[in-house]
Amino acid sequence: MNIILLGPPGAGKGTQAQRLVEERGMVQLSTGDMLRAARTSGTEMGNKVAAVMDAGNLVTDEIVIGLIREQLEGDAVDGGGGNGFIFDGFPRTLAQADALGALLKELDQPLDHVVELQVDDEVLVERIVGRAKEAEAAGQPVRADDNEESLKVRLLAYYKQTSPLIGYYYAKGDLVSVDGLASMDEVAASIKGVLA
Ligand code: AMP
């Protein structure tokens, strides 16, 4: 079973993806994590996208589609993918959604559900600023884009470029919306209900 977790920054996609990995043995494919790893290891691509990410803008479709293609093709070759993929933070544009559809078709893989985590903007800002403060207090690194300035850009990018995917997947009959404002356990239970 392959699913997409869709929602604005701070909606809880990463947290819920992690639970699905632990509870169902699914494989999380987070383009944000892949890009951060590329930066840390200082690859040419990582260096190229660093400033774009820090400002809160989206990196090019070509780069993220390439990353996802590598993962899916690699896993397909290894017979991996375990109990399915969770696409977390991808796709984020209509071009990425089309590319993912084509790629899954090529690999003879289904897209089972697109789970939208609905959260209101005020809560997002509080969650993200809170996430940065918690990390700081615990002596952990704070994401360079977890500040109010970048957050505004990230929210705008979400509404301009990513939110059209809600209509796109609704029209395809793949969309299920879940209340992302509920507690972590309640959101996990709602997702479980969708996947059952
Ligand atoms: P995330 O961890 O999903 O919040 O992603 C962090 C940052 O990585 C985003 O603000 C973008 O700059 C970049 N990024 C992650 N995924 C994508 C994507 N699918 N398309 C474009 N940029 C992305």
Side-chain angles (χ1 to χ4, degrees), residues 16 41 48 57 66 77 79 87 118 126 167 172 184 190 192:
Q16 294 299 331
S41 56
K48 200 166 115 189
N57 288 306
V77 170
F87 296 96
Q118 290 182 324
E126 277 166 31
K172 283 181 178 278
M184 246 183 247
S190 307
K192 199 172 173 186

Side-chain angles (χ1 to χ4, degrees), residues 9-10 13 30-33 35-36 49 52-61 64-65 68 88-93 96 131 143 145-146 150 154 157 162:
K13 301 185 293 294
S30 157
T31 41
D33 286 348
L35 292 164
R36 279 184 289 276
V49 299
V52 176
M53 290 176 74
D54 289 350
N57 288 306
L58 295 188
V59 310
T60 66
D61 288 336
V64 289
I65 292 167
I68 289 288
D88 161 16
F90 178 92
R92 260 176 156 101
T93 65
Q96 292 177 24
R131 174 163 86 188
R143 278 177 54 161
D145 59 352
D146 273 356
S150 301
R154 285 159 72 198
T162 308

Side-chain angles (χ1 to χ4, degrees), residues 94-173:
L94 291 168
Q96 292 177 24
D98 278 338
L100 178 62
L103 197 52
L104 289 174
K105 204 169 163 197
E106 210 178 282
L107 298 169
D108 220 9
Q109 288 267 352
L111 175 61
D112 296 281
H113 303 286
V114 177
V115 182
E116 181 207 358
L117 299 178
Q118 290 182 324
V119 191
D120 70 47
D121 295 345
E122 303 256 328
V123 176
L124 295 179
V125 179
E126 277 166 31
R127 278 192 187 176
I128 292 189
V129 174
R131 174 163 86 188
K133 281 188 187 143
E134 266 173 39
E136 204 167 17
Q140 288 167 351
V142 177
R143 278 177 54 161
D145 59 352
D146 273 356
N147 60 73
E148 283 192 52
E149 195 65 22
S150 301
L151 182 55
K152 274 187 208 151
V153 181
R154 285 159 72 198
L155 266 184
L156 201 59
Y158 177 77
Y159 286 112
K160 270 176 85 168
Q161 294 167 278
T162 308
S163 66
L165 298 188
I166 295 169
Y168 175 98
Y169 286 119
Y170 173 78
K172 283 181 178 278

Side-chain angles (χ1 to χ4, degrees), residues 69-81 85 107-109:
R69 173 180 285 278
E70 257 171 45
Q71 295 286 325
L72 287 184
E73 291 183 343
D75 272 313
V77 170
D78 302 343
F85 293 108
L107 298 169
D108 220 9
Q109 288 267 352

